[in-house]
Amino acid sequence: MDKHSPALFLGDALALDFLNSVATPVDTPVDWIEDGQGLLRWLEQAGLVSRETLESLQAQALPGELDKVADQARNLREWFRAFVRAHKGKPLKPEALAELEPLNRLLERDEGFGRVVTRRTEAGEIFDFQPMRKWRSPEALLLPVGEAIGRFVCTEDFSNVKACEGPVCTLLFADHTRGHRRRWCSMAMCGNRAKQAAHRDRVRQA
Ligand SMILES: [Zn+2]
């Protein structure tokens, strides 16, 4: 697995998937947003920015400009990782608002507007109010990520935010299972490894 493989979307929340855009799925660390091209691929896979918008921003970008935005995206990611690590596992307290100032500074740069469109449904074509934003520069690519983080902070119960119990795994997820017993980023990656390790222990003891 490398940065050209599809990114991981196991967090059950886009804001956590953003944190999981650097991970060690096998034994080599992969950073999916290591550079500008990686950031564009991740944003498209996450469904945060349309391919059309990404292509037009790429066509207009100056050399190195997208890589700089990827640097900023990684800074945003690591800032938010520290916030999530500090607050996960318990309800988020209103006092945490002061720590979110950098996020609010990012969000205030957003230039959103709405557009009336028609959309095809099973019942025929209907009118729809579609939120849009102006993409004045490649830096605007950080805005949908900021929006996902902002919505996550406002809607997610941080009691359910957990780190995978895999011994070397760094992935985070929101546990939306009914009994809140989720322990692994995924069965395929860490769950089965833990099962195999437990099995080896049992065999050794027997
Ligand atoms: Zn894991």
Side-chain angles (χ1 to χ4, degrees):
M1 206 178 231
D2 63 22
K3 62 181 185 170
H4 294 280
S5 325
L8 303 172
F9 292 93
L10 302 165
D12 215 15
L14 210 46
L16 295 178
D17 287 329
F18 179 58
L19 298 184
N20 295 341
S21 66
V22 60
T24 307
V26 188
D27 35 38
T28 324
V30 179
D31 192 339
W32 278 272
I33 59 172
E34 188 176 64
D35 52 25
Q37 291 308 311
L39 178 64
L40 299 184
R41 282 193 298 270
W42 189 87
L43 289 167
E44 189 181 358
Q45 286 171 32
L48 282 175
V49 186
S50 73
R51 178 184 287 248
E52 197 184 23
T53 300
L54 292 171
E55 280 172 358
S56 90
L57 282 172
Q58 179 160 31
Q60 292 161 27
L62 301 169
E65 200 174 11
L66 290 171
D67 290 341
K68 264 190 220 142
V69 180
D71 292 346
Q72 291 174 300
R74 291 196 307 280
N75 287 342
L76 174 65
R77 184 180 69 187
E78 298 319 312
W79 167 80
F80 187 52
R81 188 188 312 283
F83 181 86
V84 169
R85 288 205 169 274
H87 295 286
K88 71 180 169 56
K90 50 194 187 291
L92 195 58
K93 297 221 171 67
E95 293 76 48
L97 180 63
E99 295 169 47
L100 293 166
E101 187 50 32
L103 177 65
N104 279 335
R105 278 206 306 270
L106 169 67
L107 292 172
E108 73 190 17
R109 303 208 305 248
D110 209 343
E111 290 182 87
F113 61 96
R115 188 161 71 176
V116 175
V117 295
T118 56
R119 184 162 61 86
R120 219 173 271 285
T121 67
E122 275 174 24
E125 224 169 337
I126 58 160
F127 280 95
D128 203 12
F129 191 82
Q130 195 176 51
M132 307 282 293
R133 63 165 50 87
K134 289 188 178 155
W135 303 95
R136 289 211 193 272
S137 76
E139 265 187 37
L141 291 170
L142 299 173
L143 295 169
V145 179
E147 184 179 334
I149 293 175
R151 289 185 187 279
F152 176 79
V153 166
C154 297
T155 57
E156 185 64 58
D157 179 350
F158 267 56
S159 312
N160 296 333
V161 178
K162 297 181 180 177
C164 175
E165 291 181 26
V168 292
C169 188
T170 58
L171 297 183
L172 292 152
F173 57 84
D175 181 359
H176 296 142
T177 62
R178 268 220 293 177
H180 301 296
R181 298 222 178 91
R182 182 173 166 189
R183 299 174 61 193
W184 316 109
C185 58
S186 74
M187 270 328 271
M189 278 164 58
C190 290
N192 285 337
R193 263 186 241 170
K195 262 205 266 178
Q196 284 159 6
H199 178 71
R200 276 196 303 273
D201 281 351
R202 275 196 302 274
V203 170
R204 209 177 302 140
Q205 278 161 19

